[in-house]
Structures are given as C-alpha cells and as structure tokens.
Amino acid sequence: QSDLSQVRVTRAGQPTFTLDIEGVRRGDMAGEAPPARDGDLVHVPKLTDAEFSVFGMVMEPGVKALDPEQTTQLNVMRALNAAGGAKEGANLSEATIMHRDGQTEAVDLHALLFEGDASQNKQMYAGDSLIVRTADRITVAGEVTEPASFLAPEPMKLLEVIAQAKGLTPLADMKKATVVRQEGPLTVDLEKLWGQGDLSQNVLVRPGESVIVPTRDPEEVLVVGAVTTPAATDIYRARNRSILRLVQTSVPKPTADLRHVLVHRLGAT
C-alpha cells in the first residue's frame, strides 16, 4: 500500500523534498537516492486507494478495487480475470502494463494463456494499468475465392490465411503471391508449397499485413482454319496438351486437310 512515488524527506535547514523510488518494487531503480543525514525525517505515504485498472479489449474494463492485504499478490492473470478476460479480437500478443511511475512492460498474453509461459504473468502493483489492444487485420485479395479482411490476434501461416479466403481461383498466379509488409513485399511461390511440399514458402503473415494473389498470364493455343469453332484455348491447367485434342475440340470441317496441320510456335523460326 506504500506510495513510493511520493516519499517526502524533511531535512533540518532545508525545504522538504519529494523522492520517486517506485522502481524499488521491481528492482530497477535508475541511479541512487540521496544519502540520509542525521536528523532526517522520511515519510512514506499510503496509497489513497488500493486500485488498479484494466483497459481495452476486455469484457469489463475499468478501475478495479484491490484488497489492501493482497497488494503484493497482484499479477497479470489476476488483473485479466478481474476484468472478465479478453474479448474476441484482442491482440493477445502485445498487451502492456503501465506502471504507476510511468514505465511500461510488454506482456504476451497469448504465451501466458495458451502456452503456459509463466514469465508473462508479471507482477503488478496498486496504481498500475493493464492495457489490451485491438488486434490488427490481415487482408487477402486478388485471385482468391472470397477476398477477406479479418482480425488476427497473432501471426498466421500463409496456408491458414488463404484458407480464410476459401482457397484460390483457377486464374491465380501461384508463383507470384505477395505478402505486403512494412519492410517491403515478399514474393511467395505457392506452386512449390502445394506441388512440392516446400514448407519454406509457408511464411508467417503478421497482423496488419496483406496477401495479394495476382491473376496469371494465360497460356493460350489458337486453333484456326478449317474448323467449325476457331478459338483460343487456355492450357494452363490442362493435363492433356495434345494438339490432336485441341483440333478435335475445335471440330474440323469436312474439307480440313488433317494430314498437313501447321503449327506456328512463338519464338520458333
């Protein structure tokens, strides 16, 4: 219950001065307090209200009363429970403790709650605040079945992100998917990931980032001449790329000379 941020020292022949030694609670005092002198009167006041606060994405945000006899037992888990737990959409990986003296500590609530990392159940004190922020969104756009933007409290694997968009369309350029990041775009080869099992392509997508799947360039074969339905056919995903099949699909006319079908190939002489 001691308010170590307002310790008053009365010294003979000098005005009373105030010391902020709140850091003593956590063992992180910056510098040293001045040495005591003979005759000094040191007054350590009591906290007016034994309270702490929890703000942000919690079920019951606000100021919470703290049992004066249990001030040394307050920690992140107790504070979070007092606020009814985190809401859906909370950024669990980046919570913050704001100490009474103005210093801050980062807290990974995801590690605490789901990985059992007790190091994240950090000590709190009367006058401290726990702040739980809203999660950022991950956006998926381009050649996906259902473009989406959804709250992501923590990083996700690329395959999980694409699954949120219900997969890729047939027009997706799997070799040129892009993760848009603050430090610059990252190109990912989904063909290697899907077809060859290259898990190095299954990168983490962080909250606030976007995944763009571009439209692929068509691989077209144009069939013209003595056929009933001249057409350009996209053979990008065709298992059977036989010229015979393509000609049959265009339906040769009775006058077609199938013994002398000419093939003109780009780049060939």
Side-chain angles (χ1 to χ4, degrees):
Q1 291 179 268
S2 303
D3 187 354
L4 296 183
S5 68
Q6 299 293 326
V7 175
R8 293 190 296 275
V9 180
T10 303
R11 181 166 290 170
Q14 295 184 15
T16 298
F17 59 92
T18 302
L19 295 176
D20 182 353
I21 57 172
E22 182 71 28
V24 166
R25 296 188 193 274
R26 300 186 303 280
D28 60 356
M29 277 292 294
E32 297 182 359
R37 294 183 184 178
D38 181 32
D40 282 355
L41 174 63
V42 179
H43 178 255
V44 181
K46 184 177 180 180
L47 285 170
T48 305
D49 297 301
E51 297 175 334
F52 64 95
S53 304
V54 187
F55 299 117
M57 292 294 288
V58 292
M59 300 302 294
E60 301 173 11
V63 178
K64 310 296 178 182
L66 179 62
D67 186 338
E69 302 302 321
Q70 297 182 348
T71 55
T72 60
Q73 299 179 26
L74 180 62
N75 53 36
V76 169
M77 185 66 81
R78 288 177 182 269
L80 189 62
N81 287 341
K87 284 183 177 180
E88 183 178 356
N91 184 353
L92 297 179
S93 299
E94 298 180 355
T96 302
I97 298 172
M98 176 73 76
H99 291 292
R100 182 180 175 85
D101 61 3
Q103 297 189 49
T104 60
E105 277 190 273
V107 181
D108 188 339
L109 293 177
H110 184 273
L112 173 61
L113 298 174
F114 298 103
E115 301 172 15
D117 184 354
S119 71
Q120 298 301 312
N121 194 22
K122 298 182 180 182
Q123 184 77 43
M124 293 178 62
Y125 306 93
D128 287 355
S129 298
L130 177 65
I131 303 166
V132 183
R133 295 178 177 81
T134 303
D136 286 329
R137 290 179 173 271
I138 290 177
T139 300
V140 196
E143 292 297 341
V144 291
T145 304
E146 295 182 10
S149 180
F150 54 89
L151 290 172
E154 60 180 329
M156 300 173 64
K157 289 291 189 180
L158 180 58
L159 285 181
E160 296 176 306
V161 173
I162 292 175
Q164 291 283 334
K166 309 300 183 186
L168 306 175
T169 73
L171 297 178
D173 188 341
M174 297 179 66
K175 293 184 177 181
K176 296 180 182 178
T178 302
V179 179
V180 180
R181 293 177 165 170
Q182 186 173 7
E183 60 267 32
L186 174 67
T187 301
V188 182
D189 190 336
L190 295 176
E191 201 165 86
K192 284 185 178 180
L193 177 57
W194 255 284
Q196 303 173 25
D198 183 356
L199 295 180
S200 69
Q201 303 297 314
N202 195 21
V203 298
L204 278 177
V205 182
R206 299 170 298 204
E209 296 179 344
S210 300
V211 176
I212 309 296
V213 182
T215 304
R216 62 174 175 79
D217 295 328
E219 294 184 15
E220 292 182 332
V221 175
L222 180 62
V223 180
V224 295
V227 291
T228 304
T229 54
T233 303
D234 189 347
I235 61 171
Y236 178 76
R237 294 190 181 277
R239 293 185 178 181
N240 182 356
R241 295 192 174 194
S242 164
I243 291 176
L244 174 60
R245 185 190 66 82
L246 292 171
V247 171
Q248 289 176 327
T249 300
S250 295
V251 186
K253 292 181 178 179
T255 57
D257 184 357
L258 298 180
R259 293 176 299 172
H260 297 91
V261 173
L262 299 178
V263 179
H264 297 275
R265 185 158 289 171
L266 290 176
T269 57

